[in-house]
Amino acid sequence: MIKFLDLQKINNAYEPELSEGIQKVIKSGWYILGEQANTFEQNYAAYIEAKHCIGVANGLDALRLILKAYIELGSMQEGDEIIVPANTYIASVLAITDNKLKPVLVEPDIKTYNLNPFLIEEKITPRTKGIMLVHLYGQNAMHPEIERLVLKYNLKLIEDNAQAQGCFYQQKRTGSIGHAAGHSFYPGKNLGALGDAGAVTTNDDKLADIIRALGNYGSKEKYVNNYQGLNSRLDEIQAAALSVKLKHLDSDNQRRRDVANYYLKNIKNPTIILPDIPASNSHVWHLFVIRHRQRNELQKYLTDNGIQTLIHYPIPPYKQTAYKELHELSFPLTELIHNEILSLPISQVLTEEEMAQIVNSLNNFSN
């Protein structure tokens, strides 16, 4: 079976440095808010080209803390609206509602599956305070029209960069485009930890200061709590692992591009809709997502042929039981995407033989 993502093989490629970094933490006797977290924060901030990086427990917390900090600053208040893609993982929406803000969903561009920039302005009201931009599947979602709207309406631009570490918009890396960005280092990400981990990047000194405190029980000084905070910190073992992997991120992303280009060049089945080819080489291909009208049949066929695939994602956030109040909403493009998408195996450790087997199986599928 060709695994969708062979994490064991991926992590083995970083040995022995990965194990050495972990052993260094174990022997240090310091496991939270130590040297490893500080080093990774500095290195990742430099990589993203942001002034600040604050390590947190996971990608959802990163987004939650950004919004919570804006509320503490008085930039937002309960009931304010945040524009967010209808086509996204539920974490983007959870971060908004967790802060008692209102998600305002917008359809994607059917070519990129990212937020359609030309459908945003009609959704802006006096209560709109921000746009949460999701760089879905590893492709930049920023657009000049979004820049125009952020300036025109004085909005906060919050990037959900959970799937796009290393991606570019023009000459800037995603994660440094907006006012603040949330990053996930879930093990399956392009930059993946050995468990849950995340970070916030920003150039805003005051925002960074509040986020760091909020993630540490609302405290800047031990036992002195300035805010009603959370416990959301990047632990030393995850930071050590991420520091090792960060050095290889660009080369790993390039290998993913090579796999994606092979797929794009060689998948010839006319019933399969391939991803839109980006104009630049900025896509980092966290996921390679195809579409097919008989998606479930195609997935079973690939499984029968020894190829594991996943669906990202089968149910849109507004159709989830958690958001019953949104069930009346209708987003036809989002629903079309969720009914037809299928993610193929893609990673830096996928072999030429595996790629050929995947392509041959896809080209031989008929329904």
Side-chain angles (χ1 to χ4, degrees):
M1 173 69 75
I2 298 174
K3 293 181 180 180
F4 176 75
L5 188 67
D6 193 335
L7 286 177
Q8 187 175 25
K9 191 173 181 182
I10 287 171
N11 286 327
N12 284 343
Y14 303 110
E15 292 292 7
E17 195 178 1
L18 192 60
S19 291
E20 289 170 356
I22 294 167
Q23 282 299 315
K24 187 176 179 181
V25 173
I26 293 170
K27 290 175 181 178
S28 75
W30 195 287
Y31 308 118
I32 297 287
L33 297 181
E35 179 185 340
Q36 295 294 332
N38 184 57
T39 297
F40 174 72
E41 287 177 348
Q42 290 180 14
N43 291 341
Y44 194 64
Y47 177 82
I48 293 293
E49 298 182 334
K51 191 172 180 182
H52 302 280
C53 171
I54 305 100
V56 299
N58 54 68
L60 171 57
D61 278 3
L63 296 173
R64 290 170 69 207
L65 287 164
I66 291 168
L67 294 171
K68 192 172 178 67
Y70 277 130
I71 291 169
E72 292 289 352
L73 283 168
S75 301
M76 297 176 188
Q77 60 183 350
E78 183 176 335
D80 282 344
E81 297 170 355
I82 305 292
I83 301 287
V84 65
N87 181 44
T88 186
Y89 183 55
I90 197 170
S92 311
V93 183
L94 286 171
I96 296 168
T97 58
D98 182 69
N99 281 287
K100 296 183 171 58
L101 301 168
K102 180 182 177 182
V104 177
L105 305 176
V106 175
E107 282 270 55
D109 181 330
I110 193 61
K111 289 184 178 180
T112 66
Y113 309 133
N114 275 326
L115 183 65
N116 187 329
F118 300 103
L119 298 180
I120 296 173
E121 191 161 21
E122 65 190 45
K123 296 291 186 80
I124 293 175
T125 74
R127 294 303 301 269
T128 306
K129 293 299 189 293
I131 298 173
M132 186 173 287
L133 191 63
V134 183
H135 304 295
L136 198 65
Y137 307 150
Q139 183 166 201
N140 160 63
M142 190 53 177
H143 189 279
E145 173 67 5
I146 297 174
E147 291 185 61
R148 184 185 74 82
L149 295 174
V150 167
L151 289 172
K152 179 178 177 181
Y153 294 98
N154 191 29
L155 303 176
K156 299 298 183 186
L157 181 61
I158 300 152
E159 296 176 77
D160 181 340
N161 200 49
Q163 299 185 8
Q165 297 97 342
C167 182
F168 279 93
Y169 169 66
Q170 296 175 354
Q171 302 302 313
K172 300 181 74 174
R173 287 196 192 271
T174 56
S176 67
I177 297 165
H179 295 97
H183 307 256
S184 169
F185 306 123
Y186 180 78
K189 304 299 186 186
N190 292 31
L191 179 61
L194 302 179
D196 277 322
V200 174
T201 52
T202 183
N203 291 320
D204 186 326
D205 295 345
K206 194 165 186 181
L207 186 74
D209 189 53
I210 293 175
I211 288 170
R212 190 173 293 282
L214 285 170
N216 188 36
Y217 299 96
S219 174
K220 298 179 185 179
E221 179 185 348
K222 196 166 186 177
Y223 303 130
V224 178
N225 303 83
N226 304 89
Y227 312 102
Q228 295 179 25
L230 311 172
N231 173 18
S232 185
R233 302 174 298 202
L234 177 65
D235 74 68
E236 289 288 280
I237 285 179
Q238 303 308 333
L242 289 167
S243 287
V244 171
K245 293 185 174 189
L246 179 59
K247 292 182 282 188
H248 304 278
L249 180 55
D250 284 341
S251 59
D252 288 346
N253 282 343
Q254 185 54 52
R255 176 57 184 162
R256 285 173 173 269
R257 291 189 190 101
D258 294 342
V259 175
N261 288 334
Y262 180 86
Y263 284 159
L264 291 167
K265 182 179 179 182
N266 292 286
I267 296 172
K268 302 295 185 183
N269 190 325
T271 66
I272 293 171
I273 300 172
L274 295 171
D276 192 56
I277 302 171
S280 69
N281 200 31
S282 69
H283 202 315
V284 295
W285 297 103
H286 172 59
L287 299 173
F288 189 96
V289 178
I290 60 173
R291 282 174 38 223
H292 197 282
R293 288 184 179 179
Q294 277 75 47
R295 184 264 310 283
N296 294 342
E297 289 86 344
L298 175 57
Q299 184 174 42
K300 182 181 183 304
Y301 163 83
L302 290 171
T303 301
D304 292 343
N305 281 272
I307 300 164
Q308 183 185 32
T309 60
L310 293 178
I311 299 170
H312 297 90
Y313 302 96
I315 306 171
Y318 61 92
K319 291 292 186 184
Q320 299 283 358
T321 304
Y323 288 109
K324 292 176 182 176
E325 69 275 16
L326 302 179
H327 282 190
E328 297 303 313
L329 296 177
S330 175
F331 296 97
L333 284 182
T334 295
E335 287 156 36
L336 172 72
I337 291 166
H338 283 250
N339 288 333
E340 294 186 352
I341 53 173
L342 188 66
S343 298
L344 302 182
I346 187 167
S347 76
Q348 62 270 32
V349 298
L350 203 64
T351 67
E352 306 294 330
E353 293 75 17
E354 288 170 333
M355 290 157 55
Q357 182 181 336
I358 292 164
V359 166
N360 289 336
S361 295
L362 288 167
N363 287 341
N364 289 329
F365 177 72
S366 59
N367 56 300

